[in-house]
Amino acid sequence: MNSKKISKKFLLTLPFVVITLLFLVVPMIMIFVRSFIPTSGNSIADNWNFINGFVWKKILISLFDAFVTTILVILISYPFAYYLAFSCSKTMRSISILLITAPIWTSFLVKLIGLKTFFDAMNGYENSTTGEIFTIIGLVYLYTPFMILPLYNTLIELPKNLIFASKDLGRGNFNTFMHVVIPYTKAALFSGITLVFLPSLTTVAVPQFLNASPSGSLIGDILMEEGQLALTSDVSLARASSLSLLLLIIMSIGYATYILGKYLYNRSKRSYNK
């Protein structure tokens, strides 16, 4: 009986293990190896010297754009999802969710062209969108649905008696939102942040279409350029691998910082309660 249970669990987990190995573990090993082996005419140091001050500047700008985009998306999505979950009728919810998800069904490229055309028509001339603000607007426009949906799906399940109990105990709307709603939706919020921040950090098409500035490219554009050259150049392949590994390290440090901060906060909170 136990052997049957073990074999069933093994069969259920096998597809996940195979997919993880093929699409995550093996590519990461290849990236790591490519970053630390010399290429024709270049040393290992040359693979990493490619990441100069210009590349670091693009990484910092990309981090800034992704951070601002994520904050704006949260500020837009939370009130909207909350209103849908608690203030709208079922018919209005269905229509709103349909309108929210409709842009996801269309091509990102089509949406970016439409957004740029709109801005150019508003300004009265072509290529009028110059500056990081237009990149951020494009990112917010593209990724807001990915924040609204997980928040809405969680808020719709939030028991209203928790909100009523909080208000009966003397907490106002703001304190109820901070101490009841946000803790209840923190998993959905973290999921939404992941779906918005990571694609925004390595975005490719948005700066090319919405930021007409000659220096409007972001780190994703550099990575894409090196990746295209890597089809015929071992040097570009090594550079793209080194840059990909560096971005992975930066994101891992950010995630580790979040986990450490959360642990220290919970520990200090437990100590305070004692």
Side-chain angles (χ1 to χ4, degrees):
M1 187 66 180
N2 291 333
S3 61
K4 289 183 178 180
K5 288 184 178 180
I6 294 174
S7 61
K8 186 177 181 179
K9 291 181 179 179
F10 175 77
L11 291 175
L12 290 173
T13 58
L14 182 60
F16 174 77
V17 173
V18 172
I19 292 173
T20 303
L21 287 173
L22 290 178
F23 296 103
L24 182 61
V25 177
V26 173
M28 289 310 306
I29 293 175
M30 293 177 65
I31 288 174
F32 184 84
V33 171
R34 284 289 183 178
S35 301
F36 291 99
I37 60 173
T39 56
S40 54
N42 284 348
S43 63
I44 297 175
D46 293 327
N47 297 343
W48 291 90
N49 289 337
F50 157 74
I51 305 175
N52 53 20
F54 174 78
V55 175
W56 274 110
K57 180 181 177 181
K58 291 300 180 181
I59 292 175
L60 293 177
I61 294 174
S62 299
L63 286 169
F64 174 79
D65 287 357
F67 178 77
V68 174
T69 297
T70 305
I71 296 298
L72 292 176
V73 168
I74 292 173
L75 293 177
I76 294 170
S77 301
Y78 234 124
F80 189 81
Y82 188 87
Y83 176 77
L84 280 183
F86 294 104
S87 302
C88 287
S89 63
K90 289 185 178 180
T91 303
M92 189 62 184
R93 288 175 191 169
S94 301
I95 295 173
S96 300
I97 293 300
L98 178 64
L99 293 176
I100 291 168
T101 56
I104 301 177
W105 306 341
T106 58
S107 169
F108 273 25
L109 181 60
V110 172
K111 289 184 285 188
L112 290 175
I113 293 174
L115 191 60
K116 181 175 176 57
T117 303
F118 170 76
F119 282 127
D120 287 343
M122 291 288 291
N123 295 326
Y125 60 97
E126 293 184 357
N127 295 326
S128 62
T129 55
T130 303
E132 295 298 327
I133 183 62
F134 291 101
T135 299
I136 293 173
I137 290 173
L139 292 172
V140 171
Y141 170 68
L142 290 176
Y143 294 117
T144 295
F146 296 97
M147 180 70 74
I148 292 177
L149 290 178
L151 287 175
Y152 169 77
N153 290 331
T154 302
L155 286 170
I156 200 68
E157 301 295 332
L158 173 62
K160 292 186 178 180
N161 59 349
L162 293 178
I163 297 177
F164 296 149
S166 176
K167 292 182 177 180
D168 288 340
L169 292 172
R171 285 179 173 172
N173 292 328
F174 178 77
N175 285 328
T176 298
F177 182 79
M178 295 299 296
H179 294 92
V180 177
V181 177
I182 290 183
Y184 189 86
T185 59
K186 62 182 180 180
L189 181 61
F190 183 77
S191 175
I193 290 173
T194 304
L195 291 173
V196 173
F197 182 82
L198 295 182
S200 298
L201 176 61
T202 55
T203 187
V204 176
V206 179
Q208 294 176 345
F209 279 91
L210 290 180
N211 190 351
S213 173
S215 59
S217 62
L218 295 179
I219 195 62
D221 299 305
I222 297 176
L223 186 59
M224 183 68 178
E225 181 181 352
E226 292 297 328
Q228 290 176 335
L229 295 174
L231 296 174
T232 56
S233 172
D234 290 338
V235 176
S236 295
L237 180 58
R239 288 176 175 178
S241 300
S242 301
L243 183 55
S244 298
L245 186 58
L246 176 63
L247 292 175
L248 176 63
I249 292 172
I250 292 174
M251 288 185 283
S252 299
I253 292 173
Y255 181 72
T257 304
Y258 163 76
I259 295 298
L260 179 61
K262 183 179 178 181
Y263 169 76
L264 293 176
Y265 172 77
N266 291 332
R267 185 176 178 180
S268 63
K269 191 175 180 180
R270 287 194 298 267
S271 300
Y272 177 79
N273 292 333
K274 290 180 180 179

